[in-house]
């Protein structure tokens, strides 16, 4: 039998839910090379997730402006001077080792001082940062280490001996930390992007276009991304999202890993 309903009858409303707390609320993060490119995107993503971000970079004006925008703290230091790490905060929950430099030359012409500089910035500095920050993470029973490696931490290219050496070393350091830190609730992983649309890469594109007499689009597709299945640059924000995911609540079981973001480069 059909029953009548009042026209104004409405189903009971679901109880209102409080907005979810940001996943890194109350946490602190330290990002090196944070004033531009991947580091800047990582700082922005971590801050949006609730973390207080320590913006570490030698580009003082850019670092201070970003820290102001994020409500973080700027640390203007030159990481080629290893002892400056001792002036950085030790009490942080998240470390993103991102700072890096590049120099391209064949091995027999590679300046030894430049090779040593790249190892200091990209290997020794991450070691010193972690040596300083891990004890606090261990004491609190939680921490996230994300090292911005590269496809060149997994594969080699000619003329990049210092960079490839440094990224391979960073991969090794990351794995050792993963093994040592596991019992303390701390994870350590690498993110390994291919070519990312950063100021450094865009300058390389323009230089190679002039050198080879081809368009910038051809440099990207035929030179930089020759070994990549996807013929487009990675955006810094995409790398930052991967970093944030590794710092989130669902990835405590992921450690000692290298997350490839290389458009299929290493699938060859």
């Amino acid at each position: 039998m059909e029953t009548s309903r009042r026209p104004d009858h409405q189903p009971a409303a679901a109880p209102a839910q409080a907005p979810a707390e940001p996943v890194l609320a109350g946490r602190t993060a330290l990002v090196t090379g944070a004033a531009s490119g991947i580091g800047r995107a990582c700082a922005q993503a971590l801050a949006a997730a609730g973390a207080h971000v320590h913006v570490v970079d030698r580009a003082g004006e850019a670092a201070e402006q970003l820290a102001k925008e994020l409500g973080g703290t700027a640390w203007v230091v030159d990481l080629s001077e290893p002892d400056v790490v001792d002036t950085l905060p030790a009490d942080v929950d998240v470390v993103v080792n991102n700072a890096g430099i590049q120099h391209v030359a064949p091995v027999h012409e590679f300046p030894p001082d430049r090779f040593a500089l790249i190892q200091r910035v990209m290997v020794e500095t991450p070691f010193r940062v972690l040596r300083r920050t891990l004890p606090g993470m261990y004491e609190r029973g939680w921490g996230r280490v994300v090292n911005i490696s590269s496809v060149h931490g997994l594969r080699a290219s000619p003329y990049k001996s210092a960079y490839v050496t440094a990224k391979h070393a960073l991969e090794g350091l990351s794995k050792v930390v993963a093994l040592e830190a596991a019992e303390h609730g701390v994870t350590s992983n690498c993110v390994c992007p291919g070519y990312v649309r950063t100021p450094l890469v865009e300058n390389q594109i323009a230089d190679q276009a002039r050198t080879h007499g081809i368009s910038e689009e051809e440099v990207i597709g035929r030179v930089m991304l020759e070994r990549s299945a996807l013929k487009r640059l990675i955006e810094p924000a995409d790398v930052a999202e991967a970093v944030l995911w590794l710092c989130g609540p669902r990835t405590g079981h992921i450690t000692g890993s290298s997350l490839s973001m290389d458009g299929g480069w290493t699938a060859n």
Side-chain angles (χ1 to χ4, degrees):
M1 183 173 87
E2 193 173 296
T3 59
S4 62
R5 299 179 63 188
R6 287 168 33 190
D8 60 347
H9 176 77
Q10 297 292 334
Q17 293 184 341
E21 187 175 46
V23 295
L24 293 178
R27 304 288 190 187
T28 56
L30 184 149
V31 182
T32 66
S36 65
I38 295 173
R40 180 183 178 87
C42 288
Q44 291 171 325
L46 294 169
H52 179 94
V53 180
H54 294 286
V55 176
V56 181
D57 206 291
R58 65 180 179 179
E61 185 176 345
E64 289 168 359
Q65 179 61 38
L66 179 61
K68 182 178 179 181
E69 292 172 6
L70 302 180
T73 306
W75 299 83
V76 182
V77 295
D78 184 349
L79 293 175
S80 68
E81 302 173 8
D83 289 344
V84 303
V85 170
D86 294 335
T87 69
L88 300 178
D91 189 19
V92 298
D93 302 297
V94 174
V95 168
V96 180
N97 283 311
N98 167 72
I101 50 179
Q102 178 64 283
H103 186 87
V104 178
V107 170
H108 67 282
E109 296 177 0
F110 210 102
D113 58 342
R114 192 69 177 174
F115 187 96
L117 172 65
I118 290 173
Q119 307 316 306
R120 283 202 306 276
V121 172
M122 296 170 58
V123 183
E124 184 176 350
T125 289
F127 159 74
R128 285 176 176 262
V129 168
L130 294 176
R131 184 176 183 274
R132 182 167 172 79
T133 57
L134 283 173
M137 295 184 195
Y138 292 173
E139 184 178 339
R140 291 184 295 276
W142 192 92
R144 295 289 182 266
V145 175
V146 184
N147 300 298
I148 306 301
S149 180
S150 164
V151 65
H152 284 117
L154 308 173
R155 297 290 189 273
S157 289
Y159 312 118
K160 298 180 179 180
S161 58
Y163 189 87
V164 170
T165 297
K167 291 300 188 184
H168 274 67
L170 185 63
E171 294 274 342
L173 174 63
S174 184
K175 290 177 173 62
V176 170
V177 171
L179 297 178
E180 294 182 3
E183 64 180 294
H184 303 287
V186 177
T187 65
S188 176
N189 294 287
C190 286
V191 175
C192 305
Y195 284 101
V196 181
R197 193 185 302 279
T198 63
L200 179 66
V201 168
E202 290 184 328
N203 288 338
Q204 291 180 30
I205 294 170
D207 288 343
Q208 291 200 38
R210 286 191 295 269
T211 300
H212 298 291
I214 58 178
S215 70
E216 294 189 1
E217 290 74 17
E218 288 177 297
V219 170
I220 294 172
R222 288 172 42 194
V223 180
M224 288 187 164
L225 302 181
E226 179 186 6
R227 287 178 283 181
S228 174
L230 297 177
K231 304 299 183 184
R232 60 179 181 270
L233 297 176
I234 304 164
E235 299 301 325
D238 295 338
V239 180
E241 284 299 317
V243 171
L244 180 59
W245 177 70
L246 287 171
C247 296
R250 307 292 183 187
T251 52
H253 59 292
I254 301 176
T255 195
S257 297
S258 298
L259 176 61
S260 295
M261 299 183 66
D262 60 13
W265 184 329
T266 52
N268 287 311

